[in-house]
Amino acid sequence: PAGRSASEAVKGTLLHRELGGPAAAVAMGTSNQANVLIASALFSLGCAGAAFVVSNRPELPWAMVVHFVILFLSGLGLRYAATHRRFVALIASKLPRIAAPLLRFSEHSRESSLLASGPIFAMFVGRLVQTFEYGTLAYAIGIHPGPLEALTVQGTNLVAAAVGVFMPGQVGSSEAIFAFAAEALGTTPARAMTIALSAHVSGLVWALTGLLLLALWRSREGVNEQPQ
């Protein structure tokens, strides 16, 4: 559940020493979360434009527009809350026990601009690569998408991910959204669900790869910490 937030927490835990402490690690994770929300929102807007052209169901592109609005405002609000001095000072005054680390967190958060164009652009490119992946999956099951159709498939995936954010791996929710959008995607519900199921296989491969690398990292760290 909440895979992106969980991944940022794991990265912060692993890298807090290199980043300069827990406050810096939390600031990095919060900034990354905001950047992902903003990049996904902007990409979703482009997908909505494609869906308006190729989809015969208006609900799908409008769902992408709503997705854009919610994610963009959430990402911008997250960055504003983390970097606005008066807001952070107000929260710190209400919660004196965590005031010091909260202020350090905000100080680290202000090390980058409110909208970090570099990371947002990199994550936007990542969504573009993912669009190619979903287009390839669609082609593999007998759908022949062009660029606009591939963007529509990716927009459907982004909406499905948002709807099923608290479902582990979006299992079930993504299949349901793809089945609902089958007509708009120009295919059958069975084939549309196959796209979602195939994407889970890709996600599982990356998850297993990450777990293996994490195990190797931790074992190497343990060896390095042994007394000489």
Side-chain angles (χ1 to χ4, degrees), residues 186-227:
T187 188
T188 64
R191 283 187 172 182
M193 290 176 65
T194 303
I195 297 175
L197 289 168
S198 301
H200 290 319
V201 176
S202 174
L204 181 61
V205 170
W206 282 111
L208 293 175
T209 302
L211 288 173
L212 177 61
L213 292 175
L214 177 60
L216 293 174
W217 184 353
R218 299 302 293 177
S219 62
R220 181 181 178 183
E221 189 177 69
V223 170
N224 291 336
E225 290 179 354
Q226 289 180 358

Short mmCIF file of all heavy atoms in Angstrom, two decimals, residues 186-227:
data_model
loop_
_atom_site.label_atom_id
_atom_site.label_comp_id
_atom_site.label_asym_id
_atom_site.label_seq_id
_atom_site.Cartn_x
_atom_site.Cartn_y
_atom_site.Cartn_z
N GLY A 186 -10.25 0.84 -27.28
CA GLY A 186 -10.46 0.14 -28.54
C GLY A 186 -10.18 -1.34 -28.47
O GLY A 186 -9.69 -1.93 -29.45
N THR A 187 -10.45 -1.96 -27.34
CA THR A 187 -10.19 -3.38 -27.19
C THR A 187 -11.24 -4.01 -26.29
O THR A 187 -12.20 -3.34 -25.87
CB THR A 187 -8.77 -3.62 -26.62
OG1 THR A 187 -8.47 -5.02 -26.65
CG2 THR A 187 -8.64 -3.10 -25.20
N THR A 188 -11.07 -5.28 -25.96
CA THR A 188 -12.01 -5.98 -25.09
C THR A 188 -11.57 -5.87 -23.64
O THR A 188 -10.38 -5.64 -23.36
CB THR A 188 -12.08 -7.46 -25.48
OG1 THR A 188 -10.79 -8.07 -25.25
CG2 THR A 188 -12.46 -7.62 -26.95
N PRO A 189 -12.49 -6.04 -22.68
CA PRO A 189 -12.11 -6.01 -21.26
C PRO A 189 -11.02 -7.04 -20.92
O PRO A 189 -10.13 -6.74 -20.13
CB PRO A 189 -13.42 -6.32 -20.55
CG PRO A 189 -14.48 -5.83 -21.47
CD PRO A 189 -13.97 -6.12 -22.85
N ALA A 190 -11.10 -8.23 -21.54
CA ALA A 190 -10.11 -9.26 -21.25
C ALA A 190 -8.71 -8.81 -21.65
O ALA A 190 -7.74 -8.96 -20.90
CB ALA A 190 -10.48 -10.56 -21.96
N ARG A 191 -8.60 -8.24 -22.85
CA ARG A 191 -7.28 -7.78 -23.30
C ARG A 191 -6.80 -6.58 -22.48
O ARG A 191 -5.60 -6.47 -22.18
CB ARG A 191 -7.35 -7.42 -24.78
CG ARG A 191 -7.35 -8.62 -25.71
CD ARG A 191 -7.24 -8.20 -27.16
NE ARG A 191 -7.04 -9.33 -28.04
CZ ARG A 191 -6.88 -9.25 -29.34
NH1 ARG A 191 -6.89 -8.05 -29.93
NH2 ARG A 191 -6.70 -10.33 -30.07
N ALA A 192 -7.71 -5.70 -22.15
CA ALA A 192 -7.33 -4.53 -21.34
C ALA A 192 -6.81 -4.97 -19.98
O ALA A 192 -5.80 -4.43 -19.48
CB ALA A 192 -8.52 -3.59 -21.19
N MET A 193 -7.48 -5.95 -19.36
CA MET A 193 -7.02 -6.45 -18.07
C MET A 193 -5.66 -7.14 -18.19
O MET A 193 -4.86 -7.11 -17.26
CB MET A 193 -8.06 -7.41 -17.48
CG MET A 193 -9.34 -6.73 -17.03
SD MET A 193 -10.58 -7.91 -16.45
CE MET A 193 -9.77 -8.57 -15.00
N THR A 194 -5.41 -7.75 -19.35
CA THR A 194 -4.12 -8.41 -19.56
C THR A 194 -2.97 -7.42 -19.53
O THR A 194 -1.86 -7.74 -19.09
CB THR A 194 -4.13 -9.19 -20.89
OG1 THR A 194 -5.21 -10.12 -20.89
CG2 THR A 194 -2.83 -9.94 -21.09
N ILE A 195 -3.21 -6.20 -20.00
CA ILE A 195 -2.18 -5.15 -19.92
C ILE A 195 -1.80 -4.92 -18.46
O ILE A 195 -0.61 -4.87 -18.11
CB ILE A 195 -2.67 -3.85 -20.56
CG1 ILE A 195 -2.95 -4.04 -22.05
CG2 ILE A 195 -1.63 -2.73 -20.36
CD1 ILE A 195 -3.56 -2.81 -22.72
N ALA A 196 -2.81 -4.78 -17.60
CA ALA A 196 -2.55 -4.53 -16.18
C ALA A 196 -1.84 -5.72 -15.55
O ALA A 196 -0.90 -5.55 -14.75
CB ALA A 196 -3.87 -4.25 -15.46
N LEU A 197 -2.29 -6.94 -15.86
CA LEU A 197 -1.66 -8.13 -15.30
C LEU A 197 -0.20 -8.25 -15.75
O LEU A 197 0.68 -8.59 -14.94
CB LEU A 197 -2.44 -9.38 -15.73
CG LEU A 197 -3.82 -9.56 -15.07
CD1 LEU A 197 -4.60 -10.66 -15.78
CD2 LEU A 197 -3.66 -9.88 -13.59
N SER A 198 0.07 -7.95 -17.00
CA SER A 198 1.44 -8.02 -17.52
C SER A 198 2.32 -6.98 -16.84
O SER A 198 3.51 -7.24 -16.57
CB SER A 198 1.45 -7.79 -19.03
OG SER A 198 0.67 -8.75 -19.70
N ALA A 199 1.76 -5.82 -16.54
CA ALA A 199 2.53 -4.77 -15.86
C ALA A 199 2.92 -5.20 -14.46
O ALA A 199 3.99 -4.83 -13.96
CB ALA A 199 1.73 -3.48 -15.82
N HIS A 200 2.06 -6.00 -13.81
CA HIS A 200 2.41 -6.50 -12.47
C HIS A 200 3.65 -7.39 -12.53
O HIS A 200 4.47 -7.38 -11.61
CB HIS A 200 1.25 -7.30 -11.88
CG HIS A 200 0.06 -6.45 -11.51
ND1 HIS A 200 0.18 -5.22 -10.90
CD2 HIS A 200 -1.27 -6.67 -11.66
CE1 HIS A 200 -1.03 -4.72 -10.70
NE2 HIS A 200 -1.91 -5.58 -11.15
N VAL A 201 3.79 -8.17 -13.62
CA VAL A 201 4.97 -9.03 -13.77
C VAL A 201 6.24 -8.17 -13.84
O VAL A 201 7.25 -8.45 -13.18
CB VAL A 201 4.84 -9.91 -15.03
CG1 VAL A 201 6.12 -10.73 -15.24
CG2 VAL A 201 3.63 -10.83 -14.92
N SER A 202 6.17 -7.10 -14.63
CA SER A 202 7.31 -6.18 -14.72
C SER A 202 7.63 -5.58 -13.36
O SER A 202 8.80 -5.50 -12.95
CB SER A 202 7.00 -5.07 -15.73
OG SER A 202 8.01 -4.08 -15.74
N GLY A 203 6.59 -5.15 -12.64
CA GLY A 203 6.81 -4.57 -11.32
C GLY A 203 7.41 -5.57 -10.35
O GLY A 203 8.27 -5.22 -9.52
N LEU A 204 6.98 -6.84 -10.46
CA LEU A 204 7.51 -7.87 -9.57
C LEU A 204 8.99 -8.11 -9.84
O LEU A 204 9.79 -8.29 -8.90
CB LEU A 204 6.72 -9.17 -9.77
CG LEU A 204 7.14 -10.37 -8.90
CD1 LEU A 204 6.97 -10.04 -7.42
CD2 LEU A 204 6.32 -11.61 -9.27
N VAL A 205 9.39 -8.09 -11.11
CA VAL A 205 10.80 -8.28 -11.45
C VAL A 205 11.65 -7.18 -10.84
O VAL A 205 12.71 -7.44 -10.24
CB VAL A 205 10.97 -8.31 -12.98
CG1 VAL A 205 12.46 -8.24 -13.35
CG2 VAL A 205 10.34 -9.57 -13.57
N TRP A 206 11.19 -5.93 -10.95
CA TRP A 206 11.94 -4.81 -10.38
C TRP A 206 11.97 -4.88 -8.85
O TRP A 206 12.98 -4.54 -8.22
CB TRP A 206 11.36 -3.48 -10.84
CG TRP A 206 11.76 -3.12 -12.23
CD1 TRP A 206 10.97 -3.07 -13.35
CD2 TRP A 206 13.06 -2.75 -12.68
NE1 TRP A 206 11.69 -2.71 -14.45
CE2 TRP A 206 12.99 -2.50 -14.08
CE3 TRP A 206 14.30 -2.61 -12.05
CZ2 TRP A 206 14.09 -2.13 -14.83
CZ3 TRP A 206 15.40 -2.22 -12.81
CH2 TRP A 206 15.28 -1.99 -14.17
N ALA A 207 10.87 -5.32 -8.24
CA ALA A 207 10.83 -5.45 -6.78
C ALA A 207 11.83 -6.50 -6.30
O ALA A 207 12.56 -6.28 -5.31
CB ALA A 207 9.42 -5.81 -6.33
N LEU A 208 11.88 -7.63 -6.98
CA LEU A 208 12.83 -8.68 -6.60
C LEU A 208 14.26 -8.22 -6.82
O LEU A 208 15.15 -8.52 -6.01
CB LEU A 208 12.54 -9.95 -7.41
CG LEU A 208 11.21 -10.64 -7.10
CD1 LEU A 208 10.99 -11.81 -8.05
CD2 LEU A 208 11.17 -11.12 -5.65
N THR A 209 14.49 -7.48 -7.91
CA THR A 209 15.83 -6.94 -8.16
C THR A 209 16.25 -5.98 -7.05
O THR A 209 17.38 -6.02 -6.55
CB THR A 209 15.87 -6.20 -9.51
OG1 THR A 209 15.48 -7.10 -10.55
CG2 THR A 209 17.26 -5.66 -9.80
N GLY A 210 15.31 -5.12 -6.64
CA GLY A 210 15.60 -4.19 -5.55
C GLY A 210 15.89 -4.89 -4.24
O GLY A 210 16.80 -4.50 -3.49
N LEU A 211 15.12 -5.94 -3.92
CA LEU A 211 15.36 -6.69 -2.69
C LEU A 211 16.72 -7.36 -2.71
O LEU A 211 17.43 -7.40 -1.69
CB LEU A 211 14.25 -7.74 -2.50
CG LEU A 211 12.88 -7.20 -2.11
CD1 LEU A 211 11.84 -8.31 -2.14
CD2 LEU A 211 12.92 -6.56 -0.72
N LEU A 212 17.11 -7.89 -3.86
CA LEU A 212 18.43 -8.53 -3.98
C LEU A 212 19.54 -7.51 -3.76
O LEU A 212 20.49 -7.77 -3.01
CB LEU A 212 18.56 -9.19 -5.35
CG LEU A 212 19.92 -9.85 -5.66
CD1 LEU A 212 20.21 -10.96 -4.67
CD2 LEU A 212 19.95 -10.38 -7.08
N LEU A 213 19.43 -6.36 -4.41
CA LEU A 213 20.45 -5.32 -4.24
C LEU A 213 20.50 -4.82 -2.80
O LEU A 213 21.57 -4.53 -2.27
CB LEU A 213 20.17 -4.16 -5.20
CG LEU A 213 20.35 -4.47 -6.69
CD1 LEU A 213 19.91 -3.27 -7.53
CD2 LEU A 213 21.80 -4.82 -6.99
N LEU A 214 19.32 -4.71 -2.17
CA LEU A 214 19.28 -4.27 -0.78
C LEU A 214 19.98 -5.27 0.12
O LEU A 214 20.75 -4.90 1.02
CB LEU A 214 17.83 -4.09 -0.34
CG LEU A 214 17.61 -3.69 1.13
CD1 LEU A 214 18.29 -2.37 1.43
CD2 LEU A 214 16.11 -3.61 1.43
N ALA A 215 19.75 -6.55 -0.12
CA ALA A 215 20.40 -7.59 0.68
C ALA A 215 21.91 -7.54 0.51
O ALA A 215 22.67 -7.66 1.49
CB ALA A 215 19.86 -8.97 0.29
N LEU A 216 22.37 -7.34 -0.72
CA LEU A 216 23.81 -7.25 -0.97
C LEU A 216 24.40 -6.01 -0.31
O LEU A 216 25.50 -6.04 0.25
CB LEU A 216 24.07 -7.23 -2.48
CG LEU A 216 23.74 -8.52 -3.23
CD1 LEU A 216 23.90 -8.31 -4.73
CD2 LEU A 216 24.62 -9.67 -2.75
N TRP A 217 23.66 -4.89 -0.38
CA TRP A 217 24.13 -3.65 0.23
C TRP A 217 24.28 -3.81 1.74
O TRP A 217 25.30 -3.44 2.33
CB TRP A 217 23.15 -2.53 -0.10
CG TRP A 217 23.57 -1.17 0.39
CD1 TRP A 217 24.63 -0.87 1.20
CD2 TRP A 217 22.93 0.07 0.10
NE1 TRP A 217 24.68 0.48 1.44
CE2 TRP A 217 23.66 1.08 0.79
CE3 TRP A 217 21.82 0.43 -0.64
CZ2 TRP A 217 23.29 2.41 0.73
CZ3 TRP A 217 21.47 1.76 -0.70
CH2 TRP A 217 22.18 2.74 -0.03
N ARG A 218 23.24 -4.36 2.38
CA ARG A 218 23.28 -4.50 3.83
C ARG A 218 24.39 -5.45 4.27
O ARG A 218 25.06 -5.22 5.28
CB ARG A 218 21.92 -5.00 4.33
CG ARG A 218 20.76 -4.07 4.02
CD ARG A 218 20.96 -2.68 4.60
NE ARG A 218 20.93 -2.68 6.04
CZ ARG A 218 21.13 -1.61 6.80
NH1 ARG A 218 21.43 -0.46 6.22
NH2 ARG A 218 21.07 -1.68 8.10
N SER A 219 24.58 -6.54 3.50
CA SER A 219 25.64 -7.49 3.88
C SER A 219 27.01 -6.85 3.73
O SER A 219 27.90 -7.05 4.56
CB SER A 219 25.53 -8.76 3.02
OG SER A 219 25.72 -8.46 1.65
N ARG A 220 27.20 -6.05 2.67
CA ARG A 220 28.47 -5.37 2.47
C ARG A 220 28.71 -4.32 3.55
O ARG A 220 29.83 -4.17 4.05
CB ARG A 220 28.48 -4.70 1.09
CG ARG A 220 29.77 -3.98 0.77
CD ARG A 220 29.68 -3.33 -0.61
NE ARG A 220 30.90 -2.59 -0.90
CZ ARG A 220 31.10 -1.88 -2.00
NH1 ARG A 220 30.14 -1.83 -2.92
NH2 ARG A 220 32.23 -1.22 -2.19
N GLU A 221 27.63 -3.63 3.95
CA GLU A 221 27.75 -2.62 5.00
C GLU A 221 28.14 -3.28 6.31
O GLU A 221 28.95 -2.76 7.08
CB GLU A 221 26.41 -1.89 5.15
CG GLU A 221 26.47 -0.68 6.04
CD GLU A 221 25.15 0.04 6.09
OE1 GLU A 221 24.19 -0.53 6.68
OE2 GLU A 221 25.05 1.15 5.57
N GLY A 222 27.59 -4.47 6.58
CA GLY A 222 27.92 -5.18 7.81
C GLY A 222 29.38 -5.59 7.83
O GLY A 222 30.05 -5.52 8.87
N VAL A 223 29.93 -6.01 6.67
CA VAL A 223 31.33 -6.39 6.60
C VAL A 223 32.22 -5.18 6.85
O VAL A 223 33.21 -5.25 7.57
CB VAL A 223 31.63 -7.03 5.23
CG1 VAL A 223 33.14 -7.21 5.04
CG2 VAL A 223 30.92 -8.35 5.09
N ASN A 224 31.86 -4.05 6.27
CA ASN A 224 32.67 -2.83 6.40
C ASN A 224 32.68 -2.31 7.84
O ASN A 224 33.62 -1.65 8.25
CB ASN A 224 32.15 -1.73 5.48
CG ASN A 224 32.39 -2.07 4.02
OD1 ASN A 224 33.28 -2.86 3.69
ND2 ASN A 224 31.59 -1.49 3.13
N GLU A 225 31.60 -2.60 8.60
CA GLU A 225 31.51 -2.10 9.97
C GLU A 225 32.20 -3.00 10.98
O GLU A 225 32.29 -2.67 12.15
CB GLU A 225 30.05 -1.92 10.36
CG GLU A 225 29.36 -0.76 9.63
CD GLU A 225 27.91 -0.62 10.03
OE1 GLU A 225 27.41 -1.50 10.76
OE2 GLU A 225 27.28 0.38 9.59
N GLN A 226 32.65 -4.18 10.54
CA GLN A 226 33.33 -5.09 11.46
C GLN A 226 34.66 -4.49 11.92
O GLN A 226 35.38 -3.87 11.12
CB GLN A 226 33.58 -6.45 10.80
CG GLN A 226 32.30 -7.26 10.59
CD GLN A 226 32.59 -8.60 9.95
OE1 GLN A 226 33.74 -8.90 9.61
NE2 GLN A 226 31.57 -9.41 9.79
N PRO A 227 35.02 -4.67 13.20
CA PRO A 227 36.28 -4.10 13.69
C PRO A 227 37.48 -4.75 12.99
O PRO A 227 37.48 -5.95 12.69
CB PRO A 227 36.27 -4.44 15.19
CG PRO A 227 35.31 -5.60 15.31
CD PRO A 227 34.29 -5.40 14.26
#
